[in-house]
Amino acid sequence: MENPKSKAASTSTAGTCPSYKKYEIRHRLPNPKIAALLVIDMQNYFSSMANPIFPNLLTTIRLCRAASIPVIFTRHAHTSASDNPILSEWWNGDIILDGTPAADLISNLDRLDTDEVIRKNTYSAFRNTRLEDCLKEKGVEEVIVTGVMTNICCETTAREAFVRGYRVFFSTDATATVNLELHEATLKTLAYGFAYLVDCQRLRELSAMEKTGKPCNNSEVVDLEDDREARIDPQLGIVEPVIGMMFSSIEETYQF
């Protein structure tokens, strides 16, 4: 069976309105003084998937460097199949062994010798690594997540960052996975409950502010109408109460 992780990514939404936009109801820019860029698993093993986003990833890295945001790379690798048996079982033994070319970071990543490289052996870049210690040493309170795979290591790292108390920003155009459906599914979920979405265009605003010395406008914007639409999905029958809901009768209110 073909390994889905080796496929080229398909995350283009050119000419269409991305489906996750409905859920992107909060807008914010990272604060360069307390942010770090996480580049997740841009390794030879994932090169086919990573190639389509490579230009955007390089742009993101360079924009963050211009804003004095530290860049941290992660590298997924196993010493043997036994160091994470359940993951090896899930992928039918197709794991990335440390010391092999597949485990190396892709060349031309614009990585500096001073950049941290964190080795991990599971989906989360926090689990059993020194990532959190590294973030604390740098005074980091916000993380910007990029890399591969959108719906696995990037999403898991973003979720864990959130529950550990970090403000999370997630790139829409410098992350990739096996297909657009999975890519946008993650963006919907993270935009709804975990992360502010950003892209190269938004990060250019940040870089411009840094160059001109203007303060970063970090005010949160929430449109209640959009929020209500995002929270109420008649097809799923899932309803969460929000401020401003109206009912036509006492009976309808009681049923709700």
Side-chain angles (χ1 to χ4, degrees), residues 180-200:
L180 182 61
E181 181 181 7
L182 291 175
H183 181 71
E184 291 206 343
T186 286
L187 297 180
K188 290 176 184 177
T189 299
L190 293 183
Y192 185 82
F194 298 92
Y196 299 94
L197 302 185
V198 293
D199 56 17
C200 290

Side-chain angles (χ1 to χ4, degrees), residues 105-206:
L105 292 175
I106 297 171
S107 60
N108 303 318
L109 258 181
D110 197 23
R111 184 170 67 84
L112 305 180
D113 291 339
T114 53
D115 292 333
E116 294 274 356
V117 180
I118 306 290
R119 187 180 76 84
K120 64 186 186 65
N121 70 349
T122 190
Y123 297 154
S124 171
F126 286 94
R127 195 56 54 104
N128 298 323
T129 73
R130 67 175 303 272
L131 176 58
E132 186 150 37
D133 289 339
C134 178
L135 296 176
K136 287 181 177 178
E137 289 166 8
K138 297 178 184 297
V140 170
E141 300 174 18
E142 302 178 349
V143 294
I144 308 163
V145 180
T146 62
V148 295
M149 301 166 65
T150 308
N151 58 316
I152 299 184
C153 293
C154 294
E155 179 175 349
T156 305
T157 298
R159 285 170 175 261
E160 185 152 356
F162 183 89
V163 299
R164 286 173 182 251
Y166 294 92
R167 183 174 293 113
V168 181
F169 297 84
F170 199 91
S171 174
T172 63
D173 61 0
T175 52
T177 189
V178 295
N179 60 46
L180 182 61
E181 181 181 7
L182 291 175
H183 181 71
E184 291 206 343
T186 286
L187 297 180
K188 290 176 184 177
T189 299
L190 293 183
Y192 185 82
F194 298 92
Y196 299 94
L197 302 185
V198 293
D199 56 17
C200 290
Q201 182 177 350
R202 292 219 72 207
L203 291 176
R204 283 191 183 94
E205 298 174 25
L206 184 67

Side-chain angles (χ1 to χ4, degrees), residues 11-21 180 184:
T11 57
S12 173
T13 56
T16 64
C17 180
S19 62
Y20 62 82
K21 285 293 184 182
L180 182 61
E184 291 206 343

